Amino acid sequence: MPDFLHNFRLMRLKDFVLFCILSLVSFAFSSCEEEKGSIDNSWNSGTLTVKDEVLLSGSTTQSLNIKASVKPTVTTDASWLRIGEVTSLTTGIYSVELTAEANTTGETRSAQVSVTAGKETSTVKVTQVSGDVVEIRSIDPQGDLDPNGGTITIKYVATGDPATNLPEWIKPADTRALNEGILTFTYSPNNTGKEREGIIVLAVGKTGIANITVRQGARSVAALNGKTAMEIAADMYAGINIGNTMECPGGEGDWSMPVNETYVAALAAMGFNAVRIPCAWNAHAKDGVIDAVWLDRVDEVVGWVIRNGMYALLNTHWDSGWIEGDPCTKGFDEAVNAKFGSYWTQIATKLNHYDQRLLFSAMNEPPVDETTKATKERGIDAIMKYEQTMLDAVRATGGNNLDRVLVMSVPNTNIEIAAEGYFQMPKDVVSDRLMVEAHFYSPYNFNMMTEDASWGKVAWYWGKENHVAGSDRNSTWGEEDYVRDQMQLMKKHFVDKGYPTVLGEYCVCEDRSNIAGVDKEKHQASQTLWNREVTREAKNAGCVPFFWETGGDINRRDGSIIRTYQLDGLFLGASEGKYPF
């Protein structure tokens, strides 16, 4: 017997009916808990009403409930069946107890009970069985349920009042018929994108169990009228990250400052219309459950972004490497995968109330071991499985998440690895709702390098027009043509195949304006040009640009601009770039 049935608390039918008169009963999952409601006055109108059939388990007493305009009389043709006194529960509602003597024959036996009220008479079949029984008489509707939701009515006969166990998408209706042999449930629209199946369980005691399997087809995605990934990408003008903030494992702002709505509103006023929110989750979870307070906080920040007219892109971001570490480089981990799916179920459920202005990105920079072809492909295989799990988890929550645009990071978020062709996008239950994510910080010497190395020097100047004659600090690779070629790789391998790309991070991370010997004007002009070139060429290739910002370019307190030479290039490139879709 299933474990959950051990917890059912059964009620004698007479007690249940008495409670129904006082308050409306709502069946709950896996229990017979009652919730108070309004009195059903419809019971007090009409003619004689009584159920057609009663099952008795051994000598257990069961109440027969009767609606009549006058007090009824109840008789039987069987000597083994005892009829109790007819009592009034409320105006027009009566109850009588039926008790069978011990059945020594070992066989099921039946009797007729006559109920007479004035000129009306009804007959009830009473059957005595050896143990608890639930028998289903009819189910309406028959066959598959409506994909758009509706009600399902089950007629049954049982030796007692059955407890119920239901799938999460089926709920008890807030009604209760006088004839306790009828149960009505509501079921929600199927927005999961695929057919689903559930089991309704009615149970009385240890032996009376009825399992009813129901199936519901998926709603048509066309009915949702959502935008495609291409349409949403085309609507994003310029994006920015709230970096080093929500993703801090030690707590929001541990590496910078907590975000506030003044700052978010300032981003919109500057001209950004999309905000990427890197976010940690495992650091805010215990035993696989994300802290409700943290979910509320993320909900608040997402709400600020959307309320200020921008798109929000929310991800799972490094988070001390619990998934973006060994579980990628060393191969797929089933336990990690299960937790990843659970987290995304919790995130998607919490934020399901937002429309398509919220996008989810599965990961941040999932790593692979590039030592050998085999180790690289092992890592890519793991990443593809994790991202499929994320997609499936989000879609299964239904609602707005059915056609929400989801973003899949390529291995190492490296454009060249993605272009090799081994990485493949996950299978989706809906069409045209996926994007790809890559990051771009090249050339490393100019963007991120902090000190000279044996293989090369830190570059201060980038772009032919910014080279300083005779300097050994000019970039020697990765300039304008390289930027264009990298972005076109993403266009060829993803955008042209129907997957717009998110350039989730890019910036000049190292500002060397105050280093001794640097030509400050040329160095800052190099940063302006790099941001301009990357932003423009990204858009020309169908890649939505999201500038990486951690508080050094924009004041986190009030949203004022600190380094104009970074943002000037960004917005100039955004105005020059034209999406190919």
Side-chain angles (χ1 to χ4, degrees):
M1 182 177 68
D3 290 341
F4 65 81
L5 293 177
H6 291 158
N7 297 321
F8 284 143
R9 179 172 59 84
L10 301 179
M11 299 168 53
R12 290 181 63 187
L13 191 55
K14 66 175 183 179
D15 296 327
F16 176 79
V17 174
L18 180 59
F19 189 81
C20 285
I21 303 305
L22 300 176
S23 61
L24 187 63
V25 173
S26 176
F27 284 97
F29 295 112
S30 305
S31 70
C32 288
E33 295 290 336
E34 299 85 18
E35 295 180 2
K36 292 183 179 179
S38 59
I39 296 176
D40 186 356
N41 292 319
S42 66
W43 290 13
N44 297 323
S45 61
T47 56
L48 176 64
T49 302
V50 65
K51 64 172 63 176
D52 298 324
E53 187 175 2
V54 173
L55 296 182
L56 297 179
S57 176
S59 57
T60 301
T61 296
Q62 188 172 158
S63 295
L64 178 66
N65 305 291
I66 306 162
K67 182 179 76 171
S69 56
V70 297
K71 185 176 181 179
T73 58
V74 182
T75 60
T76 181
D77 62 357
S79 60
W80 53 267
L81 182 62
R82 297 196 301 272
I83 307 296
E85 180 182 355
V86 177
T87 59
S88 176
L89 299 177
T90 187
T91 304
I93 304 296
Y94 302 89
S95 180
V96 60
E97 290 189 346
L98 306 178
T99 308
E101 296 176 352
N103 187 352
T104 59
T105 67
E107 297 180 358
T108 299
R109 58 186 178 184
S110 298
Q112 296 292 326
V113 170
S114 296
V115 180
T116 302
K119 296 181 179 180
E120 296 181 281
T121 299
S122 291
T123 300
V124 181
K125 180 182 179 182
V126 178
T127 302
Q128 184 188 35
V129 294
S130 58
D132 288 311
V133 174
V134 178
E135 295 180 3
I136 304 302
R137 292 294 186 251
S138 66
I139 302 172
D140 184 27
Q142 295 183 348
D144 289 353
L145 303 179
D146 187 342
N148 296 305
T151 60
I152 179 172
T153 299
I154 299 171
K155 292 184 179 181
Y156 70 93
V157 61
T159 54
D161 188 44
T164 60
N165 184 269
L166 308 171
E168 57 86 21
W169 48 277
I170 298 179
K171 308 291 185 185
D174 291 330
T175 59
R176 178 70 172 170
L178 174 64
N179 185 338
E180 290 81 12
I182 299 176
L183 292 174
T184 301
F185 304 96
T186 60
Y187 56 94
S188 61
N190 184 359
N191 293 327
T192 66
K194 55 186 177 182
E195 181 183 77
R196 61 185 175 188
E197 180 177 292
I199 298 177
I200 298 173
V201 179
L202 308 185
V204 177
K206 296 182 178 181
T207 59
I209 301 173
N211 295 322
I212 304 163
T213 300
V214 290
R215 294 180 180 84
Q216 182 186 32
R219 292 179 72 193
S220 169
V221 176
L224 299 174
N225 297 319
K227 291 183 178 181
T228 66
M230 285 287 189
E231 290 170 332
I232 288 178
D235 199 34
M236 293 183 183
Y237 176 77
I240 189 168
N241 281 266
I242 304 178
N244 286 1
T245 307
M246 307 291 285
E247 77 270 33
C248 303
E252 179 186 351
D254 195 41
W255 298 335
S256 55
M257 281 185 59
V259 64
N260 62 68
E261 189 170 9
T262 299
Y263 167 80
V264 173
L267 297 180
M270 285 177 210
F272 292 104
N273 77 334
V275 177
R276 182 173 180 259
I277 307 172
C279 196
W281 300 101
N282 196 57
H284 300 277
K286 183 177 181 181
D287 298 328
V289 178
I290 301 171
D291 179 25
V293 174
W294 181 244
L295 283 168
D296 287 342
R297 173 57 176 162
V298 175
D299 191 355
E300 180 179 46
V301 174
V302 169
W304 289 342
V305 171
I306 292 176
R307 188 160 61 245
N308 279 279
M310 299 181 286
Y311 285 91
L313 173 60
L314 180 70
N315 76 352
T316 55
H317 195 100
W318 182 62
D319 208 359
S320 298
W322 75 270
I323 186 168
E324 292 186 7
D326 287 351
C328 289
T329 58
K330 294 184 178 180
F332 180 75
D333 186 311
E334 186 59 59
V336 168
N337 185 59
K339 184 162 74 169
F340 191 54
S342 174
Y343 282 171
W344 271 112
T345 296
Q346 295 171 62
I347 297 164
T349 299
K350 176 67 177 181
L351 302 175
N352 205 343
H353 59 98
Y354 291 109
D355 63 15
Q356 285 188 308
R357 296 193 75 84
L358 171 62
L359 294 77
F360 291 146
S361 181
M363 305 175 83
N364 174 48
E365 294 178 345
V368 293
D369 180 354
E370 297 183 60
T371 304
T372 66
K373 182 175 182 290
T375 59
K376 181 190 290 188
E377 291 183 354
R378 178 183 66 194
I380 295 174
D381 283 336
I383 292 166
M384 290 191 295
K385 289 177 180 177
Y386 294 140
E387 293 188 331
Q388 183 69 61
T389 292
M390 177 268 192
L391 184 151
D392 292 341
V394 173
R395 293 288 184 243
T397 61
N400 288 326
N401 291 328
L402 176 58
D403 69 340
R404 189 176 307 286
V405 170
L406 305 181
V407 183
M408 303 297 153
S409 293
V410 299
N412 280 352
T413 53
N414 183 285
I415 292 174
E416 292 181 353
I417 293 178
E420 290 174 357
Y422 188 83
F423 173 81
Q424 298 295 318
M425 294 292 281
K427 304 296 182 182
D428 202 353
V429 294
V430 293
S431 301
D432 304 321
R433 299 299 192 277
L434 295 181
M435 291 187 186
V436 183
E437 180 173 344
H439 297 173
F440 189 75
Y441 289 106
S442 295
Y444 174 78
N445 308 60
F446 176 67
N447 286 75
M448 305 179 77
M449 195 171 178
T450 57
E451 59 183 21
D452 294 342
S454 59
W455 53 266
K457 290 188 174 183
V458 174
W460 296 346
Y461 314 113
W462 187 91
K464 295 179 177 62
E465 64 190 67
N466 293 315
H467 285 191
V468 174
S471 174
D472 62 355
R473 300 295 178 179
N474 295 320
S475 291
T476 58
W477 71 283
E479 295 197 299
E480 292 95 331
D481 290 346
Y482 177 79
V483 169
R484 187 176 305 109
D485 290 345
Q486 288 286 292
M487 300 306 157
Q488 286 298 314
L489 277 177
M490 293 300 290
K491 180 178 185 296
K492 176 181 178 181
H493 288 277
F494 292 103
V495 179
D496 290 348
K497 296 176 182 178
Y499 300 109
T501 298
V502 167
L503 192 66
E505 295 180 16
Y506 71 102
C507 77
V508 181
C509 299
E510 292 296 321
D511 188 349
R512 306 173 182 92
S513 296
N514 298 317
I515 292 179
V518 71
D519 184 325
K520 185 174 182 178
E521 181 179 347
K522 284 291 187 180
H523 176 56
Q524 293 183 353
S526 297
Q527 294 182 57
T528 301
L529 180 62
W530 188 90
N531 282 322
R532 176 181 179 180
E533 291 288 324
V534 174
T535 306
R536 182 185 66 243
E537 294 307 319
K539 292 188 70 174
N540 286 344
C543 305
V544 180
F546 281 84
F547 180 70
W548 179 255
E549 205 284 317
T550 61
D553 299 292
I554 303 172
N555 189 302
R556 284 294 175 85
R557 297 183 187 277
D558 57 12
S560 58
I561 297 176
I562 299 171
R563 295 191 294 198
T564 57
Y565 48 88
Q566 286 265 23
L567 300 183
D568 285 348
L570 184 157
F571 284 115
L572 186 58
S575 66
E576 294 172 340
K578 306 297 179 185
Y579 291 124
F581 38 71

